[in-house]
Amino acid sequence: MALVLFASAPGPAYAVVQPAPCLDGVRETKGFSAVDDGEIRWTDKTSYDDARTFAIKAWQYRGSKIKIVEDSAITSNDVEFKDADLGTSAGAPLGRYERHGSIGATDYIIFNRQKLRGASRDRLRYVALHELGHALGLCHKSDAIVSLLWKNAPSPGYEFTWIPDVDKANYKKLWG
């Protein structure tokens, strides 16, 4: 009795997603990130704990190189999550990443309480994902591609809460 083996057909071909350029002539650089020795140590003075926890977990996807871990008594924090009143005007941000840049300085991911009051869980998570992307050194992208790093947030109800492939490609280009 002969054993006949059938080769399975190859799976569908997937295009490799390429990194996307930054807006406004900016470049993604490690120097604009909160990363220190391959990690971000964080502290928390925010009431948006679910959003913070969700974003940290999402950016720790399989293949990510930068560890995002809570600060301890014997380490220096690299970024602090906090809340502030940043205004309610149309131009006021939902959140902001502030890079302070000097050795030992703490960077900030700030949630705008005034604009996020009553926001949905997905909106809060989107803001945390976006700002943590900046803390990882990623820049704003064109709204012609699907990215967490759009300069302007999507309309309420249209937020996404995953890391799009283009953002992973930019992360990989920066961090390996």
Side-chain angles (χ1 to χ4, degrees):
M1 178 158 125
L3 179 62
V4 179
L5 298 176
F6 294 95
S8 61
Y14 294 100
V16 174
V17 175
Q18 296 299 313
C22 299
L23 292 178
D24 305 322
V26 175
R27 288 188 53 222
E28 289 173 327
T29 67
K30 293 177 180 181
F32 192 71
S33 74
V35 177
D36 184 18
D37 292 328
E39 67 182 15
I40 294 177
R41 293 276 180 169
W42 61 268
T43 55
D44 172 341
K45 290 184 181 167
T46 181
S47 58
Y48 302 107
D49 290 331
D50 172 77
R52 175 194 32 83
T53 301
F54 182 86
I56 289 169
K57 188 177 280 187
W59 279 109
Q60 296 292 266
Y61 61 88
R62 188 169 154 219
S64 64
K65 301 284 186 193
I66 305 304
K67 300 301 173 213
I68 305 170
V69 292
E70 189 170 8
D71 189 31
S72 72
I74 60 169
T75 59
S76 295
N77 66 324
D78 300 306
V79 72
E80 180 179 306
F81 291 85
K82 69 179 192 174
D83 307 335
D85 295 329
L86 303 176
T88 59
S89 70
L94 297 173
R96 180 169 63 210
Y97 169 63
E98 288 184 2
R99 171 82 175 124
H100 289 267
S102 61
I103 294 176
T106 300
D107 298 341
Y108 295 96
I109 291 176
I110 304 169
F111 295 97
N112 184 354
R113 286 184 293 233
Q114 293 171 294
K115 284 236 156 143
L116 295 175
R117 193 168 289 121
S120 71
R121 182 181 71 171
D122 283 351
R123 188 132 185 103
L124 297 170
R125 287 178 171 186
Y126 175 85
V127 171
L129 284 165
H130 175 98
E131 300 307 336
L132 190 51
H134 286 315
L136 287 162
L138 302 180
C139 62
H140 285 135
K141 305 291 185 260
S142 164
D143 61 3
I145 60 168
V146 176
S147 171
L148 281 170
L149 281 291
W150 288 332
K151 194 169 192 172
N152 298 305
S155 299
Y158 292 94
E159 301 89 350
F160 43 93
T161 54
W162 70 91
I163 312 285
D165 288 342
V166 72
D167 295 324
K168 288 180 180 179
N170 280 80
Y171 176 101
K172 184 173 178 144
K173 180 180 176 187
L174 190 60
W175 297 107

